[in-house]
């Protein structure tokens, strides 16, 4: 943990990548059929149908993943968003870099080029691990570190597939103290534990 000044601006540091419900659904889909709606969900433990359409999709996806493996690990999207709104994959309302004392500072990050570590499940099935941590430093414009943290767990996502659509919300909670008003720099470093790669995001933050 980084040292901080006597007046710590960061009161709480909370990082999430997906709701547990989304992660669980991604990991364990069950077979459900509803003929009236024309919907069928195929369990990951069942043999996937091989229609010409699915075969075309799988072939295209394999080509895409070959390109994916050559991408740099970097943020496709990195923007402040409204904490009170629904946040999902591509679902957010952008927020300016100006925040009030006591307001949550939420950074929405959608990374690309991350790795997938192949692992074995409890039943011997092939699974993929995606594992991320983050470092955050909040400092004044002259470089004085106010607070932050290192090696903060973001998530360990286990999936039957090489997921490529992931998001992270990195949240700083600022205490409602008017004396903290001013201009700051927030530096976020996202680390891909499966590849050892990382990228930095630096944002101007004004507390007003």
């Amino acid at each position: 943990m980084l040292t901080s000044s006597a007046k710590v601006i960061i009161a709480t540091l909370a990082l999430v990548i997906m709701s547990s419900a989304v992660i669980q659904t991604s990991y364990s889909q069950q077979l459900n059929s509803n003929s009236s709606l024309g919907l069928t969900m195929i369990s990951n433990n069942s043999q996937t149908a091989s229609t010409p359409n699915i075969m075309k999709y799988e072939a295209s996806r394999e080509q895409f993943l070959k390109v994916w493996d050559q991408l740099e690990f970097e943020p496709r999207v990195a923007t402040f968003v409204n904490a009170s709104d629904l946040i999902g994959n591509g679902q957010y309302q952008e927020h300016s870099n100006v925040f009030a004392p006591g307001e949550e500072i939420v950074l929405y990050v959608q990374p690309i080029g991350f790795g997938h570590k192949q692992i074995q499940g409890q039943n011997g099935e092939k699974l993929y691990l995606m594992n991320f941590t983050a470092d955050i430093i909040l400092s004044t414009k002259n470089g004085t570190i106010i607070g932050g943290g290192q090696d903060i767990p973001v998530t360990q996502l286990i999936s039957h597939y090489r997921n490529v659509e992931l998001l992270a919300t990195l949240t700083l909670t600022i205490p409602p103290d008017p004396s903290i008003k001013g201009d700051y720099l927030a530096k976020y470093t996202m680390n891909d534990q499966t590849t050892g790669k990382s990228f930095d995001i630096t944002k101007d933050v004004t507390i007003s």
Side-chain angles (χ1 to χ4, degrees), residues 147-208:
Q150 291 181 314
D151 296 324
I152 304 166
V154 175
T155 194
Q156 288 187 339
L157 174 63
I158 297 176
S159 174
H160 287 270
Y161 310 107
R162 294 182 60 188
N163 300 56
V164 295
E165 295 286 341
L166 296 179
L167 68 92
T169 54
L170 282 61
T171 302
L172 299 174
T173 302
I174 306 301
D177 182 353
S179 67
I180 67 174
K181 292 182 179 180
D183 296 323
Y184 301 91
L185 287 176
K187 180 180 179 181
Y188 305 83
T189 301
M190 194 162 179
N191 308 301
D192 181 357
Q193 296 298 320
T194 66
T195 64
K197 296 180 180 179
S198 63
F199 60 74
D200 294 332
I201 302 166
T202 301
K203 293 283 190 180
D204 290 314
V205 173
T206 297
I207 309 298
S208 176

Side-chain angles (χ1 to χ4, degrees), residues 4-102:
S4 57
S5 63
K7 183 172 289 185
V8 178
I9 288 182
I10 301 177
T12 307
L13 212 53
L15 291 91
V16 294
I17 194 165
M18 285 185 175
S19 70
S20 59
V22 173
I23 294 175
Q24 185 63 28
T25 301
S26 173
Y27 178 74
S28 58
Q29 298 176 9
Q30 299 298 322
L31 176 63
N32 289 301
S33 298
N34 191 325
S35 57
S36 63
L37 297 177
L39 299 175
T40 301
M41 291 189 294
I42 301 174
S43 167
N44 289 327
N45 295 324
S46 303
Q47 183 176 359
T48 304
S50 296
T51 66
N53 192 53
I54 292 176
M55 292 174 65
K56 183 184 296 185
Y57 166 80
E58 293 294 347
S60 299
R61 180 173 167 80
E62 284 300 314
Q63 290 299 315
F64 170 76
L65 289 174
K66 290 180 180 179
V67 175
W68 178 272
D69 290 337
Q70 299 174 14
L71 296 177
E72 293 296 324
F73 181 52
E74 62 182 358
R76 179 189 175 202
V77 181
T79 185
F80 291 126
V81 299
N82 291 339
S84 60
D85 291 337
L86 173 66
I87 300 176
N89 194 4
Q91 297 175 284
Y92 56 84
Q93 181 66 43
E94 287 188 316
H95 193 294
S96 72
N97 69 327
V98 180
F99 300 87

